[in-house]
Amino acid sequence: MIVTIDGPAGSGKGKIAKYISNKWGFKHLDSGILYRNLAYKILKSQIDIKSTTEIKEIMKEQKNISFRNYKRLRSEKVSKIASIIATHKFVRDHINKFQRNFVNFNKKNSHFVIDGRDIGSVVFRNAELKLYIDVSEQNRAKRRYKQLIDSGEKSIYRQILKDIKLRDKKDKNRSVSPLVIPSGAIIINNNGNFLRTANQINKLIRNI
């Protein structure tokens, strides 16, 4: 079984995916971590982010991609680079192929919950359950602000809100894998109490 979780940046996709993984014993794949891993390597290598040739060279060196969520991958610098490289089709094809191979290799004895911004719409279109997480821009900005402050990174709420609005616009209007509600997806309102969100999702999984 595959459960996909799509939605905009900061909507709580990762938290929901981790909950499903712990509650139901599904393997969790966080596609965002894969993009952030590549973004971190680009940042460390100090290459020209506008150079597709240099990005491809970094990708060739990256034989394996870790799904581990290291603290260093959650900085705003890494987030911005990840958002930029995710607009390239060759990068998305690389990441998508890695995810599909992982699922195919483990599908005999595992169920999966996979979160991202095009998982149900592009990567796993035939998933048994597709969820789309909906959260207001203001709530997402507040949550991101708290996350950064808690991690010791200086941050300004107004700037975060501005960045989220800009990222949403770019994600929805990009030519490669734009952010959309996948066909057949169930929209989950995650603005309020997480317990309410969890109960709704548990009911959906039980009914598959």
Side-chain angles (χ1 to χ4, degrees), residues 76 144-146 148-149 153-157 159-160:
E76 278 297 281
R144 180 60 176 161
Y145 173 77
K146 185 178 185 304
L148 290 171
I149 294 298
E153 189 171 343
K154 291 182 180 180
S155 186
I156 300 173
Y157 168 77
Q159 184 60 47
I160 293 174

Side-chain angles (χ1 to χ4, degrees), residues 115-130:
D115 62 285
R117 270 172 258 177
D118 66 346
I119 302 301
S121 60
V122 175
V123 189
F124 296 101
R125 293 175 178 168
N126 296 320
E128 284 78 3
L129 176 61
K130 298 180 185 180

Side-chain angles (χ1 to χ4, degrees), residues 100-152:
R100 291 184 182 116
N101 287 344
F102 182 87
V103 168
N104 288 333
F105 183 78
N106 293 281
K107 66 182 179 181
K108 287 186 178 180
N109 55 5
S110 298
H111 298 308
F112 303 89
V113 55
I114 308 165
D115 62 285
R117 270 172 258 177
D118 66 346
I119 302 301
S121 60
V122 175
V123 189
F124 296 101
R125 293 175 178 168
N126 296 320
E128 284 78 3
L129 176 61
K130 298 180 185 180
L131 305 176
Y132 183 88
I133 312 304
D134 184 36
V135 181
S136 71
E137 295 169 337
Q138 291 75 17
N139 280 340
R140 284 186 279 139
K142 288 176 185 176
R143 292 172 184 176
R144 180 60 176 161
Y145 173 77
K146 185 178 185 304
Q147 183 185 50
L148 290 171
I149 294 298
D150 289 348
S151 67

Side-chain angles (χ1 to χ4, degrees), residues 38-54:
L38 180 56
Y40 180 77
K41 289 187 179 296
I42 289 170
L43 181 64
K44 290 284 286 183
S45 301
Q46 297 182 324
I47 69 168
D48 182 2
I49 190 64
K50 295 179 181 178
S51 171
T52 58
T53 301
E54 293 187 33

Side-chain angles (χ1 to χ4, degrees), residues 151-189:
S151 67
E153 189 171 343
K154 291 182 180 180
S155 186
I156 300 173
Y157 168 77
R158 290 192 300 276
Q159 184 60 47
I160 293 174
L161 179 60
K162 182 180 178 181
D163 289 345
I164 281 178
K165 288 180 177 180
L166 180 60
R167 190 173 299 180
D168 283 356
K169 185 177 180 180
K170 288 181 177 178
D171 286 343
K172 290 176 180 177
N173 292 289
R174 66 190 183 198
S175 58
V176 179
S177 298
L179 174 65
V180 296
I181 299 174
S183 175
I186 297 169
I187 298 175
I188 303 293
N189 185 323

Side-chain angles (χ1 to χ4, degrees), residues 1-5 13-28 111-115 129 131 133 188 194 197-198 200-202 204-205:
M1 183 192 302
I2 295 177
V3 175
T4 60
I5 304 178
K13 300 183 297 295
K15 182 177 180 179
I16 291 171
K18 288 175 185 175
Y19 171 80
I20 293 173
S21 176
N22 292 330
K23 170 75 175 177
W24 295 92
F26 287 17
K27 283 188 180 295
H28 174 208
H111 298 308
F112 303 89
V113 55
I114 308 165
D115 62 285
L129 176 61
L131 305 176
I133 312 304
I188 303 293
F194 184 76
T197 298
Q200 184 179 355
I201 291 172
N202 287 334
L204 290 170
I205 293 176

